[in-house]
Every structure is written in C-alpha cells, then in structure tokens.
Amino acid sequence: MTADASQELRSRMVARLAEAGDLRDPAWRAAAAAVPRHQFIPRRAWVHDGEGYVLAELPEDEWLAAAYDPERTIVTQVDDRVDARPGDRGTVPTSSATMPSIVLAMLDALRVLDGQRVLEIGTGSGYSTALLAERLGDDQVVSVEVDPAVAAAAGEALTAAGYKPRLVTGDGAAGWPAGAPYDRVIATCAITAVPYSWVQQTRPGGLILAPLAGALVDWGLVCLEVGEDGTAAGRLLPEGVMFMRLRGHRDPDGAATAPDLAGVQPEPALLDPHELVESNLRLWLAGLPIPGVVAGAEDLADGTTRWWLRDPATGSAACLDTPAMTVRQAGPRRLWDLVADTYRWWLKEGRPGPWTFGVTVTPGRQWVWHESGRAWQLPPG
Ligand SMILES: C[S@@+](CC[C@H](N)C(=O)[O-])C[C@H]1O[C@@H](n2cnc3c(N)ncnc32)[C@H](O)[C@@H]1O
C-alpha cells in the first residue's frame, strides 16, 4: 500500500464527513485530515455473518476501504477474547473502532477549546485518542482503557503514528485523579449512571459527554455541565448513539434468559411492544422506570414471539406474547405496567424529543428528568 493511497482515501473520508455535516469545526477537520486512521485498524476484524461474529483476516484493499469508511464501525474484540484466531465465532462486541461519523460528531459536541485538558474513557483502537492529541497536544489528553490487550494495541498504534498522550490501563469508572482537573470528559462506552468521580475530576464549567445505557436499549447521549457545588446537569443531544457498555455497568451474568412464568395467570396486554421497537427513543424512555432490568425477545417454535423483562434486584419478571397480546407479571414490581405507563405519558405529552430530557447528578443520587417535571431515579454512580 502506498502512502498516496491512504492519503487519497483519507481526503475522501474527510470530504464525505464535511458534506454530511459531521465536521463543522475546522480544527476537527484538520485533525481528521492529519490522523492516519488505517494505522489504528487491525487487519483482523470481527465481521457479522447474519448469525454472529466471525474473526476474519481482511484483504488489504477491503481493510483500507473499511478504515476510511465514515459510516463503518470495525469490531476489534468480541466476548472480551484476547486469544481469538481467524474463523473463531463470538456474540457480543466488547471493543471496536467506532465509525468516524460518530467519533467526530461526539468530539464536535464536546465543544473543546484550545489549551483544554480532556479525559477519555474507552481508548479502544486509539483513533479518537489520536484525534484529541492531534487537536490539543499530547500533554492535554488522558485516555483510560480497561482491557490490557486493547490498551497495549492502542498504545502501539499511537506511538507508531507519533502521538504520546497519557494512556492508563484500568477502570475508567474511577477516572484518573492524577491528571485532574479536566475541562472535558468523554466516554466512548455506555453508562447506566454517571460515575461521580468524573464530576469530581471536572473543573466547574467543564463538560461530561457520555452515551447512556437503558433497560430496553442502550441509546441516548448526554452532555452535562459541572457546577461549582459538586453537581452536574445537562440535556440529551438530539441524536442518540449506541455504544457497548462500560465494564462494571453490564447486565449481571446469567440474567439474559427468559423467565419461566408458565404458572402465572395471563392478562390482556394493553401496549403492543412493536410500538416501542419503532424507535430507539421510545425504547429508551419506556425503560426509564425500570433501571437495572434486563430485557429480551425470543421467537418461539410456534411462530409467536415472547418479549420478556427480568429484574435481578427484586426478582420481578414479565413475559408478553405476541400476537396473542397477553402478559404475565410476577414479583413485587409489575414491570410491563411501568413500561406501558411511561410510554403512554410520553404520547400524552405530545411525543417530546430527546433534547427535552436531561440528567442531574449530585453526590448522593442522580436522575433523568423531563422538562415537564417528571423524573426517574438512576442507580448510584
Ligand atoms: C467503542 S470502544 C472505544 C472506541 C474508541 N474510542 C475508538 O474509536 O476506537 C469502547 C471501549 O471502552 C472500553 N471500556 C469498557 N469498559 C471500560 C472501563 N470500565 N474503563 C475503561 N474502558 C472501558 C472497551 O474495552 C472498549 O475498548
């Protein structure tokens, strides 16, 4: 591969991102034009074949095209595996090089200014870290990655590309106090609640940008401003994003199986789950009253679908069958009723958009709010 070939592809990627409106800030445009993204993309990547992920050795032309495709996320690790070989199969992506359109839209939303210090949680491939280092300088950037193998690969790629930001291998939920205070914190993994350490390590007036997890879908991107009083608050952005979860905020092992509620009396279900799956916003907000609940859907042998909810904390569970539209609910919390009630509230409010919701974080508790006054508690950060 010649340097010209990668340069040409990079220029085209930058032009496409600019046309799509994802590169409005000239400083990010210059950074995207400067960082050789292919150096952060391994030749071995996990490719979805319709049933699951398979580790493949990409041919050079495909690898290079993938590296400069603004809309392609490249899955670099699945099921936390570090020893995989081409042909191996897996299920859940655990590290990736996020598609450039999202990386740059998030960096734009971070509203970084020259001279500011940034803490990134989730180094991944190191590409977004390189953009930050290119834009702000090595000394202004700290990036934390939990997986030692992923961190090592990112470190090598950054060094080879000439960047020397501070890389930390560890749990990003703790931030990195030694580098504080930061002006900006950006997470590239989804959180069920904002780790309070991020608020503590951000200067008053600083911003925290993080993808949100949810009970029914991991979706939503919040930008919080840190106050003088140890709190942080801010609204969701108009466009949500879907990211893999921060380790430590994943669903508990073994929770992802349908509950057996055969002995529970079925009742008519008043909300069809197909209405919720029409949009990620609907799924996200309908899950607000049931944080920590695990959800799934299963196609049964008789052609019907079973939608289920399971609350590991209280043992409550719900199963809804379509097209019969019957629901069985057990335990202290009637999970499906809570979901349906929140969805109906949203319809009555006139289907408000994501930016009408926000998050407030205090030392002791945090919650999602809607500007109408309704609020939902989040787990402690
Ligand atoms: C979507 S990837 C990062 C994408 C990256 N910014 C890029 O464009 O290449 C998310 C990363 O977050 C990391 N991660 C998950 N939990 C973490 C934690 N508790 N602390 C730090 N990193 C974490 C994962 O290992 C994964 O590499």
Side-chain angles (χ1 to χ4, degrees), residues 239-285:
E239 299 291 335
V241 288
M242 294 174 102
F243 270 86
M244 54 196 60
R245 285 205 188 171
L246 184 93
R247 275 192 206 181
H249 287 199
R250 293 179 182 169
D251 291 332
D253 283 346
T257 50
D260 179 4
L261 299 183
V264 177
Q265 188 63 27
E267 301 162 54
L270 301 178
L271 167 65
D272 185 342
H274 290 99
E275 242 188 272
L276 295 183
V277 298
E278 267 181 38
S279 83
N280 285 321
L281 171 62
R282 292 179 186 198
L283 283 168
W284 178 77
L285 70 93

Side-chain angles (χ1 to χ4, degrees), residues 5-375:
S6 69
Q7 184 61 57
E8 167 69 26
L9 284 166
R10 190 147 83 235
S11 305
R12 253 192 271 161
M13 178 187 82
V14 169
R16 277 181 63 188
L17 287 165
E19 269 166 39
D22 292 325
L23 264 182
R24 282 170 300 188
D25 180 342
W28 286 124
R29 186 176 178 138
V35 176
R37 187 165 193 266
H38 63 286
Q39 292 190 30
F40 295 87
I41 307 301
R43 287 287 293 270
R44 284 181 183 183
W46 294 85
V47 179
H48 205 275
D49 70 353
E51 283 179 16
Y53 286 91
V54 184
L55 186 61
E57 182 95 34
L58 301 179
E60 178 161 323
D61 53 343
E62 202 184 306
W63 160 71
L64 204 53
Y68 288 105
D69 183 340
E71 301 297 336
R72 180 157 168 188
T73 288
I74 298 160
V75 176
T76 51
Q77 189 194 55
V78 160
D79 302 334
D80 296 328
R81 290 186 60 179
V82 292
D83 56 351
R85 298 174 162 278
D88 284 359
R89 303 190 67 86
T91 327
V92 181
T94 47
S95 190
S96 64
T98 305
M99 64 177 79
S101 61
I102 291 184
V103 170
L104 284 147
M106 284 176 67
L107 289 173
D108 193 47
L110 197 60
R111 290 183 271 147
V112 171
L113 301 171
D114 286 347
Q116 290 192 322
R117 283 182 65 67
V118 177
L119 171 67
E120 179 188 47
I121 310 298
T123 315
S125 68
Y127 175 64
S128 47
T129 322
L131 288 171
L132 285 163
E134 173 69 33
R135 163 88 166 78
L136 296 168
D138 292 327
D139 295 343
Q140 304 300 89
V141 180
V142 176
S143 185
V144 187
E145 169 59 51
V146 74
D147 188 291
V150 171
E156 280 169 28
L158 283 157
T159 304
Y163 299 106
K164 297 184 200 63
R166 166 72 71 166
L167 299 180
V168 178
T169 305
D171 184 359
W176 196 59
Y182 304 101
D183 300 286
R184 300 285 185 266
V185 176
I186 178 169
T188 63
C189 36
I191 52 172
T192 53
V194 182
Y196 189 66
S197 62
W198 299 357
V199 178
Q200 286 174 307
Q201 292 169 32
T202 303
R203 241 186 257 286
L207 301 178
I208 299 171
L209 183 76
L212 296 173
L216 305 184
V217 69
D218 290 349
W219 182 86
L221 182 61
V222 74
C223 187
L224 306 169
E225 181 170 338
V226 174
E228 298 277 354
D229 57 354
T231 67
R235 288 178 184 256
L236 265 65
L237 301 191
E239 299 291 335
V241 288
M242 294 174 102
F243 270 86
M244 54 196 60
R245 285 205 188 171
L246 184 93
R247 275 192 206 181
H249 287 199
R250 293 179 182 169
D251 291 332
D253 283 346
T257 50
D260 179 4
L261 299 183
V264 177
Q265 188 63 27
E267 301 162 54
L270 301 178
L271 167 65
D272 185 342
H274 290 99
E275 242 188 272
L276 295 183
V277 298
E278 267 181 38
S279 83
N280 285 321
L281 171 62
R282 292 179 186 198
L283 283 168
W284 178 77
L285 70 93
L288 287 172
I290 52 167
V293 165
V294 184
E298 228 180 289
D299 291 328
L300 304 182
D302 61 1
T304 64
T305 304
R306 176 156 297 165
W307 311 71
W308 56 264
L309 302 170
R310 178 196 275 282
D311 182 3
T314 63
S316 304
C319 279
L320 194 154
D321 290 315
T322 54
M325 283 292 290
T326 51
V327 64
R328 295 176 163 87
Q329 304 189 75
R333 304 186 76 209
R334 291 179 58 90
L335 300 176
W336 188 251
D337 292 355
L338 291 166
V339 165
D341 172 64
T342 306
Y343 178 66
R344 276 195 296 263
W345 161 82
W346 180 73
L347 291 178
K348 238 168 70 197
E349 278 295 316
R351 307 174 182 226
W355 56 90
T356 61
F357 292 83
V359 174
T360 293
V361 181
T362 68
R365 65 185 196 99
Q366 49 185 287
W367 60 93
V368 173
W369 45 262
H370 182 256
E371 57 188 26
S372 65
R374 192 153 178 175

